[in-house]
Amino acid sequence: MSDKTYGMVGWEEFSTNRLEILQKFNQAKIKGRSKKVKVEHGNVAEASIREWLESYLPKKYSVTSGYIIPDFVEINDPYNLGHFDVIIYDSFESPILWVDENSDKSDQGKSRAIPAQYVICVLEIKSSFKPNTSKDVIDKLHELTPMKKFLPKNFSCGAIFIELDENNINKAASLEKLNVDTLPHGFFGGLVMYSKIDPDLIGYISYYDNPKDSSDVENMPKKPLIIAGKRMDVFQGTPSDSIYVGKGFSVKATAPNRGSGYHFNKTYSAYSVSNTRTISLQWSTDSFVTFAIDLIGRFEGINPMSGQSSKYIFGQVFDRIPKKKDSDFPEDGSYLVVKQPDDMKA
Protein backbone atom coordinates (compact mmCIF):
# COMPACT_ATOMS: atom_id res chain seq x y z
CA MET A 1 0.00 0.00 0.00
CA SER A 2 1.07 3.56 -0.62
CA ASP A 3 2.49 5.56 2.28
CA LYS A 4 0.52 8.50 0.91
CA THR A 5 -2.77 7.02 2.13
CA TYR A 6 -4.34 5.99 5.42
CA GLY A 7 -7.81 4.93 6.46
CA MET A 8 -10.34 3.50 8.85
CA VAL A 9 -9.71 0.25 10.71
CA GLY A 10 -9.23 -2.59 8.21
CA TRP A 11 -8.77 -0.37 5.15
CA GLU A 12 -5.56 -2.09 4.06
CA GLU A 13 -7.02 -5.55 4.46
CA PHE A 14 -10.17 -4.63 2.53
CA SER A 15 -8.13 -3.03 -0.25
CA THR A 16 -6.25 -6.30 -0.81
CA ASN A 17 -9.44 -7.63 -2.46
CA ARG A 18 -8.76 -5.33 -5.39
CA LEU A 19 -5.06 -6.15 -5.45
CA GLU A 20 -5.78 -9.89 -5.52
CA ILE A 21 -8.14 -9.47 -8.50
CA LEU A 22 -5.49 -7.44 -10.36
CA GLN A 23 -2.75 -9.94 -9.51
CA LYS A 24 -4.75 -12.85 -10.94
CA PHE A 25 -5.62 -10.80 -14.02
CA ASN A 26 -2.00 -9.79 -14.70
CA GLN A 27 -0.72 -13.34 -14.17
CA ALA A 28 -3.25 -14.60 -16.71
CA LYS A 29 -2.14 -11.92 -19.19
CA ILE A 30 1.47 -13.00 -18.87
CA LYS A 31 0.60 -16.65 -19.36
CA GLY A 32 -1.54 -15.85 -22.38
CA ARG A 33 0.95 -13.70 -24.31
CA SER A 34 1.98 -16.50 -26.66
CA LYS A 35 -1.60 -17.61 -27.38
CA LYS A 36 -3.22 -16.57 -30.64
CA VAL A 37 -6.58 -15.80 -29.00
CA LYS A 38 -6.07 -13.90 -25.76
CA VAL A 39 -9.24 -14.35 -23.73
CA GLU A 40 -8.10 -16.22 -20.63
CA HIS A 41 -7.22 -13.08 -18.64
CA GLY A 42 -10.76 -11.83 -19.20
CA ASN A 43 -12.21 -15.11 -17.95
CA VAL A 44 -9.94 -14.94 -14.92
CA ALA A 45 -11.08 -11.37 -14.20
CA GLU A 46 -14.73 -12.41 -14.30
CA ALA A 47 -14.11 -15.38 -12.00
CA SER A 48 -12.06 -13.29 -9.55
CA ILE A 49 -14.73 -10.60 -9.30
CA ARG A 50 -17.48 -13.18 -8.78
CA GLU A 51 -15.36 -14.82 -6.07
CA TRP A 52 -14.78 -11.48 -4.33
CA LEU A 53 -18.45 -10.49 -4.48
CA GLU A 54 -19.58 -13.86 -3.15
CA SER A 55 -17.30 -13.49 -0.13
CA TYR A 56 -18.09 -9.79 0.39
CA LEU A 57 -21.85 -9.48 0.01
CA PRO A 58 -24.33 -10.34 2.78
CA LYS A 59 -25.34 -13.99 2.54
CA LYS A 60 -28.86 -13.18 1.39
CA TYR A 61 -27.21 -12.42 -1.99
CA SER A 62 -25.50 -14.98 -4.20
CA VAL A 63 -23.34 -14.49 -7.28
CA THR A 64 -23.24 -16.41 -10.54
CA SER A 65 -22.79 -16.04 -14.26
CA GLY A 66 -25.66 -17.18 -16.40
CA TYR A 67 -29.14 -16.41 -17.67
CA ILE A 68 -32.05 -14.28 -16.54
CA ILE A 69 -35.45 -15.80 -17.16
CA PRO A 70 -38.50 -13.53 -17.44
CA ASP A 71 -42.13 -14.63 -17.50
CA PHE A 72 -42.45 -15.73 -21.13
CA VAL A 73 -46.24 -15.62 -20.96
CA GLU A 74 -46.19 -11.82 -21.07
CA ILE A 75 -43.48 -11.38 -23.70
CA ASN A 76 -44.73 -11.16 -27.28
CA ASP A 77 -41.41 -10.95 -29.12
CA PRO A 78 -39.10 -13.96 -29.40
CA TYR A 79 -36.63 -14.00 -26.52
CA ASN A 80 -33.05 -15.23 -26.88
CA LEU A 81 -31.24 -16.32 -23.76
CA GLY A 82 -28.29 -13.97 -23.24
CA HIS A 83 -25.43 -14.90 -20.95
CA PHE A 84 -24.36 -12.30 -18.35
CA ASP A 85 -20.95 -12.15 -16.62
CA VAL A 86 -22.14 -11.41 -13.08
CA ILE A 87 -25.68 -11.93 -11.77
CA ILE A 88 -26.37 -11.04 -8.14
CA TYR A 89 -29.63 -12.50 -6.88
CA ASP A 90 -31.71 -13.12 -3.77
CA SER A 91 -30.38 -16.48 -2.63
CA PHE A 92 -32.99 -16.87 0.13
CA GLU A 93 -35.95 -16.70 -2.23
CA SER A 94 -34.78 -17.62 -5.72
CA PRO A 95 -35.00 -21.07 -7.25
CA ILE A 96 -32.20 -22.14 -9.61
CA LEU A 97 -33.94 -23.17 -12.83
CA TRP A 98 -30.93 -25.03 -14.22
CA VAL A 99 -27.13 -25.11 -14.08
CA ASP A 100 -24.63 -25.27 -16.95
CA GLU A 101 -21.08 -26.36 -16.22
CA ASN A 102 -18.34 -23.88 -17.12
CA SER A 103 -14.60 -24.06 -17.78
CA ASP A 104 -14.30 -21.81 -14.75
CA LYS A 105 -14.31 -24.56 -12.09
CA SER A 106 -15.27 -22.31 -9.19
CA ASP A 107 -18.81 -22.58 -7.87
CA GLN A 108 -19.48 -18.99 -8.96
CA GLY A 109 -18.25 -19.88 -12.48
CA LYS A 110 -21.15 -22.23 -13.18
CA SER A 111 -23.86 -20.69 -15.34
CA ARG A 112 -27.19 -20.63 -13.56
CA ALA A 113 -30.62 -19.64 -14.80
CA ILE A 114 -32.26 -17.19 -12.37
CA PRO A 115 -35.87 -15.93 -12.55
CA ALA A 116 -35.86 -12.19 -13.32
CA GLN A 117 -37.89 -11.25 -10.25
CA TYR A 118 -35.02 -12.33 -7.96
CA VAL A 119 -32.16 -10.64 -9.85
CA ILE A 120 -30.83 -7.67 -7.85
CA CYS A 121 -27.92 -6.60 -10.06
CA VAL A 122 -26.08 -7.43 -13.27
CA LEU A 123 -22.44 -6.48 -13.92
CA GLU A 124 -20.57 -6.82 -17.18
CA ILE A 125 -16.78 -7.30 -16.90
CA LYS A 126 -14.33 -6.00 -19.49
CA SER A 127 -10.55 -6.32 -19.48
CA SER A 128 -9.86 -2.85 -20.87
CA PHE A 129 -11.65 0.50 -20.76
CA LYS A 130 -11.82 1.72 -24.36
CA PRO A 131 -14.47 2.81 -26.88
CA ASN A 132 -15.42 -0.61 -28.25
CA THR A 133 -15.72 -2.25 -24.81
CA SER A 134 -17.88 0.65 -23.58
CA LYS A 135 -20.18 0.15 -26.55
CA ASP A 136 -20.25 -3.59 -25.90
CA VAL A 137 -21.31 -2.98 -22.28
CA ILE A 138 -24.21 -0.73 -23.31
CA ASP A 139 -25.33 -3.12 -26.05
CA LYS A 140 -25.19 -6.11 -23.72
CA LEU A 141 -27.02 -4.46 -20.83
CA HIS A 142 -29.72 -3.24 -23.21
CA GLU A 143 -30.66 -6.92 -23.54
CA LEU A 144 -32.30 -6.43 -20.13
CA THR A 145 -34.85 -4.01 -21.60
CA PRO A 146 -37.44 -6.62 -22.68
CA MET A 147 -37.61 -7.97 -19.12
CA LYS A 148 -37.44 -4.76 -17.09
CA LYS A 149 -41.07 -5.12 -15.92
CA PHE A 150 -40.15 -8.44 -14.31
CA LEU A 151 -37.05 -7.17 -12.47
CA PRO A 152 -37.32 -5.99 -8.84
CA LYS A 153 -37.78 -2.33 -7.97
CA ASN A 154 -34.20 -1.92 -6.70
CA PHE A 155 -32.56 -3.59 -9.70
CA SER A 156 -29.36 -2.00 -10.96
CA CYS A 157 -26.69 -2.80 -13.52
CA GLY A 158 -23.19 -1.58 -14.30
CA ALA A 159 -19.75 -2.44 -15.59
CA ILE A 160 -16.31 -3.19 -14.18
CA PHE A 161 -13.35 -2.46 -16.45
CA ILE A 162 -10.10 -3.93 -15.16
CA GLU A 163 -7.60 -1.46 -16.62
CA LEU A 164 -7.10 1.76 -18.54
CA ASP A 165 -3.85 1.45 -20.48
CA GLU A 166 -1.67 4.24 -21.79
CA ASN A 167 -2.93 3.87 -25.37
CA ASN A 168 -6.48 4.81 -24.34
CA ILE A 169 -5.90 7.72 -21.96
CA ASN A 170 -6.90 10.36 -24.52
CA LYS A 171 -9.82 8.46 -26.06
CA ALA A 172 -12.82 10.48 -24.89
CA ALA A 173 -15.06 8.09 -26.82
CA SER A 174 -14.57 5.54 -24.02
CA LEU A 175 -16.85 7.72 -21.88
CA GLU A 176 -18.97 9.02 -24.72
CA LYS A 177 -20.03 5.49 -25.70
CA LEU A 178 -21.47 5.10 -22.19
CA ASN A 179 -23.49 8.32 -22.45
CA VAL A 180 -26.15 7.15 -24.90
CA ASP A 181 -29.58 8.78 -25.21
CA THR A 182 -31.32 5.80 -23.62
CA LEU A 183 -29.36 4.08 -20.88
CA PRO A 184 -29.92 0.41 -20.07
CA HIS A 185 -32.56 -0.16 -17.42
CA GLY A 186 -31.04 0.47 -13.97
CA PHE A 187 -27.61 1.47 -15.31
CA PHE A 188 -25.54 3.36 -12.72
CA GLY A 189 -22.03 3.41 -14.25
CA GLY A 190 -19.20 1.31 -12.92
CA LEU A 191 -15.54 1.03 -12.03
CA VAL A 192 -12.11 1.15 -13.68
CA MET A 193 -9.92 -0.78 -11.28
CA TYR A 194 -6.45 0.21 -12.40
CA SER A 195 -4.21 2.38 -14.55
CA LYS A 196 -0.44 2.02 -14.86
CA ILE A 197 -0.20 5.82 -14.77
CA ASP A 198 -0.88 5.61 -11.03
CA PRO A 199 -1.70 2.17 -9.53
CA ASP A 200 -3.15 3.78 -6.38
CA LEU A 201 -5.98 5.47 -8.28
CA ILE A 202 -9.30 3.78 -9.09
CA GLY A 203 -11.85 5.26 -11.47
CA TYR A 204 -15.54 5.47 -10.47
CA ILE A 205 -17.97 5.97 -13.37
CA SER A 206 -21.22 7.68 -12.41
CA TYR A 207 -23.77 9.92 -14.03
CA TYR A 208 -26.08 12.74 -13.01
CA ASP A 209 -28.74 14.84 -14.68
CA ASN A 210 -27.66 18.21 -16.01
CA PRO A 211 -29.20 21.30 -14.38
CA LYS A 212 -31.77 23.23 -16.40
CA ASP A 213 -29.20 25.99 -16.92
CA SER A 214 -26.34 23.75 -18.04
CA SER A 215 -24.12 26.36 -19.70
CA ASP A 216 -21.29 25.72 -17.21
CA VAL A 217 -21.47 21.98 -17.82
CA GLU A 218 -21.52 22.33 -21.59
CA ASN A 219 -18.41 24.54 -21.49
CA MET A 220 -16.30 22.02 -19.58
CA PRO A 221 -12.88 21.68 -21.19
CA LYS A 222 -11.96 18.39 -22.86
CA LYS A 223 -9.68 16.41 -20.56
CA PRO A 224 -7.64 13.22 -20.74
CA LEU A 225 -9.31 10.32 -18.97
CA ILE A 226 -6.73 10.36 -16.17
CA ILE A 227 -3.99 12.55 -14.72
CA ALA A 228 -1.61 10.87 -12.29
CA GLY A 229 -2.24 11.27 -8.60
CA LYS A 230 1.25 12.63 -7.95
CA ARG A 231 0.42 15.54 -10.23
CA MET A 232 -2.90 16.34 -8.55
CA ASP A 233 -2.55 19.98 -7.56
CA VAL A 234 -4.12 19.82 -4.09
CA PHE A 235 -2.47 21.05 -0.88
CA GLN A 236 -3.24 21.81 2.75
CA GLY A 237 -2.18 25.28 3.80
CA THR A 238 -0.39 26.06 7.03
CA PRO A 239 -1.20 27.41 9.51
CA SER A 240 -4.80 27.88 8.23
CA ASP A 241 -5.48 24.19 7.43
CA SER A 242 -7.43 25.38 4.37
CA ILE A 243 -7.34 23.10 1.33
CA TYR A 244 -6.01 24.67 -1.88
CA VAL A 245 -7.25 23.02 -5.06
CA GLY A 246 -5.69 23.76 -8.46
CA LYS A 247 -7.78 24.09 -11.61
CA GLY A 248 -8.88 20.81 -13.11
CA PHE A 249 -8.84 18.94 -9.80
CA SER A 250 -11.11 18.64 -6.80
CA VAL A 251 -11.11 17.31 -3.27
CA LYS A 252 -13.65 15.13 -1.49
CA ALA A 253 -14.13 15.72 2.23
CA THR A 254 -15.47 12.91 4.43
CA ALA A 255 -16.41 12.96 8.11
CA PRO A 256 -16.88 9.26 9.00
CA ASN A 257 -18.09 10.13 12.49
CA ARG A 258 -19.59 13.38 13.69
CA GLY A 259 -16.93 15.47 15.42
CA SER A 260 -14.05 13.27 14.29
CA GLY A 261 -12.76 15.75 11.72
CA TYR A 262 -12.63 15.90 7.95
CA HIS A 263 -10.54 13.47 5.92
CA PHE A 264 -9.69 14.19 2.30
CA ASN A 265 -9.23 12.56 -1.08
CA LYS A 266 -7.69 14.29 -4.05
CA THR A 267 -9.75 13.62 -7.17
CA TYR A 268 -9.51 14.12 -10.90
CA SER A 269 -12.56 13.73 -13.16
CA ALA A 270 -13.08 13.41 -16.89
CA TYR A 271 -16.56 14.04 -18.27
CA SER A 272 -18.85 13.24 -21.16
CA VAL A 273 -21.77 15.66 -21.49
CA SER A 274 -24.98 14.99 -23.42
CA ASN A 275 -28.12 17.13 -23.69
CA THR A 276 -29.61 15.77 -20.49
CA ARG A 277 -26.87 14.17 -18.40
CA THR A 278 -23.19 14.06 -17.59
CA ILE A 279 -21.13 10.91 -17.07
CA SER A 280 -18.09 11.35 -14.86
CA LEU A 281 -14.99 9.19 -14.49
CA GLN A 282 -13.59 10.21 -11.11
CA TRP A 283 -10.17 8.96 -10.08
CA SER A 284 -9.26 8.72 -6.40
CA THR A 285 -7.72 6.32 -3.92
CA ASP A 286 -11.07 5.55 -2.26
CA SER A 287 -13.14 4.59 -5.33
CA PHE A 288 -12.96 0.82 -4.79
CA VAL A 289 -14.41 0.92 -1.29
CA THR A 290 -16.93 3.60 -2.34
CA PHE A 291 -18.10 1.35 -5.17
CA ALA A 292 -18.40 -1.58 -2.77
CA ILE A 293 -20.40 0.43 -0.21
CA ASP A 294 -22.65 1.97 -2.85
CA LEU A 295 -23.33 -1.44 -4.39
CA ILE A 296 -24.94 -2.82 -1.22
CA GLY A 297 -26.71 0.49 -0.69
CA ARG A 298 -28.38 0.18 -4.10
CA PHE A 299 -29.57 -3.31 -3.25
CA GLU A 300 -31.28 -1.80 -0.19
CA GLY A 301 -32.93 1.03 -2.12
CA ILE A 302 -30.38 3.79 -1.56
CA ASN A 303 -29.35 5.88 -4.57
CA PRO A 304 -25.89 7.41 -3.89
CA MET A 305 -26.33 9.90 -6.75
CA SER A 306 -29.29 11.48 -4.91
CA GLY A 307 -27.14 12.31 -1.91
CA GLN A 308 -28.52 9.53 0.26
CA SER A 309 -25.96 8.05 2.61
CA SER A 310 -25.41 4.35 3.04
CA LYS A 311 -25.36 2.91 6.56
CA TYR A 312 -22.00 1.33 5.72
CA ILE A 313 -18.77 3.28 6.38
CA PHE A 314 -16.16 0.50 6.64
CA GLY A 315 -12.67 0.47 5.13
CA GLN A 316 -12.62 4.03 3.84
CA VAL A 317 -9.32 5.30 2.46
CA PHE A 318 -8.00 8.86 2.70
CA ASP A 319 -5.07 10.80 1.25
CA ARG A 320 -2.28 12.46 3.15
CA ILE A 321 -2.52 15.93 1.63
CA PRO A 322 0.90 17.63 1.12
CA LYS A 323 1.32 20.82 3.12
CA LYS A 324 2.52 24.25 1.99
CA LYS A 325 2.61 27.63 3.66
CA ASP A 326 -0.46 29.77 3.00
CA SER A 327 1.83 32.53 1.85
CA ASP A 328 3.09 30.35 -1.03
CA PHE A 329 -0.28 30.40 -2.82
CA PRO A 330 -1.07 33.20 -5.29
CA GLU A 331 -4.17 35.31 -4.73
CA ASP A 332 -5.10 35.43 -8.41
CA GLY A 333 -7.91 32.87 -8.21
CA SER A 334 -5.82 30.06 -9.65
CA TYR A 335 -6.60 27.97 -6.55
CA LEU A 336 -9.98 27.18 -5.06
CA VAL A 337 -9.73 27.59 -1.28
CA VAL A 338 -11.78 25.21 0.85
CA LYS A 339 -11.88 26.43 4.44
CA GLN A 340 -12.61 24.05 7.31
CA PRO A 341 -14.73 24.83 10.39
CA ASP A 342 -12.51 24.95 13.47
CA ASP A 343 -14.26 21.97 15.11
CA MET A 344 -13.93 19.78 11.99
CA LYS A 345 -10.25 20.02 11.13
CA ALA A 346 -8.48 16.77 10.30
Side-chain angles (χ1 to χ4, degrees):
M1 297 295 174
S2 172
D3 60 1
K4 297 182 176 6
T5 54
Y6 66 99
M8 296 174 62
V9 172
W11 73 274
E12 289 181 296
E13 291 85 348
F14 184 81
S15 296
T16 60
N17 289 302
R18 167 180 167 261
L19 298 179
E20 288 172 0
I21 293 169
L22 293 175
Q23 182 181 42
K24 292 175 183 177
F25 173 79
N26 288 322
Q27 286 176 345
K29 280 182 70 175
I30 292 171
K31 291 178 180 179
R33 283 175 181 170
S34 60
K35 296 179 181 179
K36 185 175 182 179
V37 180
K38 297 175 175 58
V39 296
E40 185 62 25
H41 59 288
N43 294 335
V44 168
E46 291 178 24
S48 299
I49 289 170
R50 286 192 294 265
E51 183 180 2
W52 164 60
L53 288 169
E54 184 71 26
S55 66
Y56 161 67
L57 293 173
K59 290 307 176 186
K60 60 183 175 180
Y61 305 113
S62 284
V63 182
T64 188
S65 65
Y67 314 100
I68 301 172
I69 311 302
D71 185 347
F72 284 98
V73 174
E74 298 187 30
I75 290 183
N76 296 321
D77 296 329
Y79 181 75
N80 295 317
L81 284 178
H83 188 275
F84 294 93
D85 295 337
V86 176
I87 299 172
I88 302 170
Y89 63 97
D90 182 342
S91 61
F92 290 173
E93 300 292 336
S94 178
I96 307 299
L97 301 184
W98 69 82
V99 179
D100 288 346
E101 295 296 332
N102 192 293
S103 58
D104 172 3
K105 299 300 183 183
S106 70
D107 191 52
Q108 294 80 35
K110 295 177 181 178
S111 293
R112 295 172 175 84
I114 309 297
Q117 69 191 88
Y118 301 108
V119 174
I120 306 297
C121 182
V122 171
L123 298 172
E124 282 299 299
I125 313 301
K126 296 295 180 184
S127 297
S128 181
F129 184 52
K130 53 188 178 182
N132 66 310
T133 57
S134 292
K135 182 180 184 302
D136 289 346
V137 161
I138 295 297
D139 291 346
K140 183 63 180 179
L141 294 177
H142 265 308
E143 293 180 14
L144 297 164
T145 300
M147 67 182 86
K148 65 181 181 181
K149 70 171 90 172
F150 306 110
L151 295 165
K153 180 180 178 181
N154 295 333
F155 173 82
S156 63
C157 65
I160 297 179
F161 302 90
I162 303 300
E163 64 180 357
L164 171 66
D165 62 37
E166 292 92 333
N167 295 329
N168 294 301
I169 287 173
N170 292 307
K171 293 183 179 178
S174 300
L175 268 182
E176 292 166 358
K177 296 291 184 181
L178 294 176
N179 203 4
V180 293
D181 291 339
T182 303
L183 292 172
H185 174 65
F187 183 72
F188 64 83
L191 196 69
V192 183
M193 296 187 69
Y194 171 76
S195 175
K196 289 182 180 179
I197 296 297
D198 189 326
D200 289 333
L201 294 181
I202 306 103
Y204 197 162
I205 302 169
S206 57
Y207 74 93
Y208 50 90
D209 294 334
N210 294 339
K212 291 181 180 179
D213 181 10
S214 58
S215 58
D216 290 341
V217 175
E218 291 171 353
N219 291 328
M220 285 179 179
K222 291 290 185 182
K223 296 180 179 179
L225 293 180
I226 185 172
I227 290 181
K230 294 178 182 177
R231 293 172 51 201
M232 286 184 179
D233 196 10
V234 179
F235 299 93
Q236 189 164 16
T238 58
S240 72
D241 276 333
S242 294
I243 302 297
Y244 293 82
V245 184
K247 289 184 177 179
F249 301 94
S250 56
V251 64
K252 179 166 66 175
T254 304
N257 296 296
R258 187 177 298 276
S260 65
Y262 282 134
H263 302 272
F264 298 95
N265 291 97
K266 300 181 289 182
T267 68
Y268 170 80
S269 296
Y271 300 92
S272 170
V273 184
S274 68
N275 292 331
T276 58
R277 77 176 72 86
T278 297
I279 284 189
S280 166
L281 170 59
Q282 184 183 76
W283 293 91
S284 69
T285 53
D286 75 330
S287 290
F288 180 73
V289 68
T290 300
F291 174 86
I293 290 172
D294 288 351
L295 193 64
I296 302 180
R298 288 189 180 91
F299 299 171
E300 299 175 350
I302 295 172
N303 179 6
M305 294 300 101
S306 68
Q308 293 176 282
S309 297
S310 173
K311 65 184 179 183
Y312 305 101
I313 59 172
F314 58 83
Q316 294 183 77
V317 182
F318 310 108
D319 291 335
R320 301 186 190 279
I321 306 296
K323 293 190 176 184
K324 279 188 177 183
K325 293 181 180 178
D326 294 300
S327 57
D328 291 340
F329 294 95
E331 298 181 359
D332 58 1
S334 57
Y335 281 88
L336 172 67
V337 182
V338 181
K339 296 185 180 296
Q340 303 181 59
D342 289 339
D343 62 344
M344 292 294 285
K345 291 180 181 178

